[in-house]
Structures are given as structure tokens and as C-alpha cells.
Amino acid sequence: MKTYKIEEVMRETGLTKRTLRYYEELGIIQPPDRSEGNIRLYTDADIRRIRLLIEAKVVLGFSLVELKQFVDWKEHLSDEHDEHKKQGKAKPEALLTAEAMLVNQLQQLEGKMKRMQEFKGYIEELLEAVRGHLEI
């Protein structure tokens, strides 16, 4: 398994060392394994996860609190799945809670997309006005 030092992760993700460490402190990303010299060693899976979080933050406008909730729910569902496999039974209350949270996230996303579409129209109007002035 290939591992990456923090400098390589910075290049791959565009995040700074401080941001990576801060996300680790907040629990947004899991602390990576460390070498004998105590150097952080990230995996391909770590980088994929960090990129997903960046997308959630940039594209969806998630705050750090929302990112933490997203990570917590994802881990909670994974834990529930593992527990379900061990016990051979479902935990419907946890799944219903997760469903409600995901429905809420989708509704928020739809609202943001609507506002973005409206703002896009505003920008297009301004662009047309600028182009109209250029033709004068």
C-alpha cells in the first residue's frame, strides 16, 4: 500500500498543512497512521476522503460543523452496518434518523441549487448589460 507524507497530500488536495491538522483536530478527517519518526502517512483512501470533504465544502457550501456532521453520520452508518452484520438484525431507529438527515441535506442542497440558478440569472443580466454598453 502506497503512503503519502503531508506535503504530498497538500499537493494532491490543495489544502495547507495547518488545514489538514485542523481537520484532524476537529475529527473531520481521521488521524493518519504515523511512521517510526512520527511522520503522518496518508493512504489513497485518505486522499479520496479528503477530496470528498473538499467537494462538500466548496460545491455544497458545507460549514466545518456540517462537514463534521457528515463525517459522523457516514461513520455511524458504517458502524451500524457492521453491527447489523454481527447481530444479524437491523437497527431501524438509526436508519430512520439517517434517512431523515439525508432527506434534510437533499432539501438544503435543492434550495442552494435554486438560489445559485437565480444568481446565475442575475450575472447573465449583468453580462448582457456590459455587452450592451460595449456595443455603444
Side-chain angles (χ1 to χ4, degrees), residues 75-89:
E75 289 173 359
H76 178 72
L77 287 174
S78 179
D79 291 346
E80 285 292 324
H81 177 71
D82 292 345
E83 190 65 27
H84 167 71
K85 286 174 99 175
K86 283 183 200 172
Q87 295 181 0
K89 61 181 181 176

Side-chain angles (χ1 to χ4, degrees), residues 118-131:
E118 291 168 357
F119 197 74
K120 179 182 177 221
Y122 175 73
I123 297 294
E124 288 170 342
E125 288 174 15
L126 285 175
L127 178 59
E128 286 301 314
V130 167
R131 286 179 175 162

Side-chain angles (χ1 to χ4, degrees), residues 56 59-63 66 105 107-117:
V59 175
L60 302 178
F62 277 16
S63 68
E66 289 170 321
Q105 288 293 326
Q107 289 171 343
Q108 288 181 25
L109 179 58
E110 287 169 359
K112 288 178 183 182
M113 289 170 55
K114 181 181 177 198
R115 289 191 306 273
M116 289 174 72
Q117 202 56 34

Side-chain angles (χ1 to χ4, degrees), residues 21-85:
R21 291 177 184 142
Y22 186 57
Y23 283 9
E24 186 180 322
E25 289 170 23
L26 294 176
I28 293 172
I29 61 174
Q30 293 296 315
D33 291 333
R34 293 188 180 247
S35 70
E36 289 181 20
N38 206 29
I39 295 172
R40 289 172 169 83
L41 298 174
Y42 297 85
T43 64
D44 287 321
D46 292 329
I47 293 173
R48 281 192 300 275
R49 182 177 180 170
I50 291 167
R51 284 183 176 150
L52 175 65
L53 293 171
I54 292 168
E55 289 295 308
K57 187 171 186 320
V58 173
V59 175
L60 302 178
F62 277 16
S63 68
L64 292 179
V65 170
E66 289 170 321
L67 280 177
K68 177 70 172 120
Q69 290 172 340
F70 177 74
V71 168
D72 288 348
W73 272 105
K74 193 168 187 259
E75 289 173 359
H76 178 72
L77 287 174
S78 179
D79 291 346
E80 285 292 324
H81 177 71
D82 292 345
E83 190 65 27
H84 167 71
K85 286 174 99 175

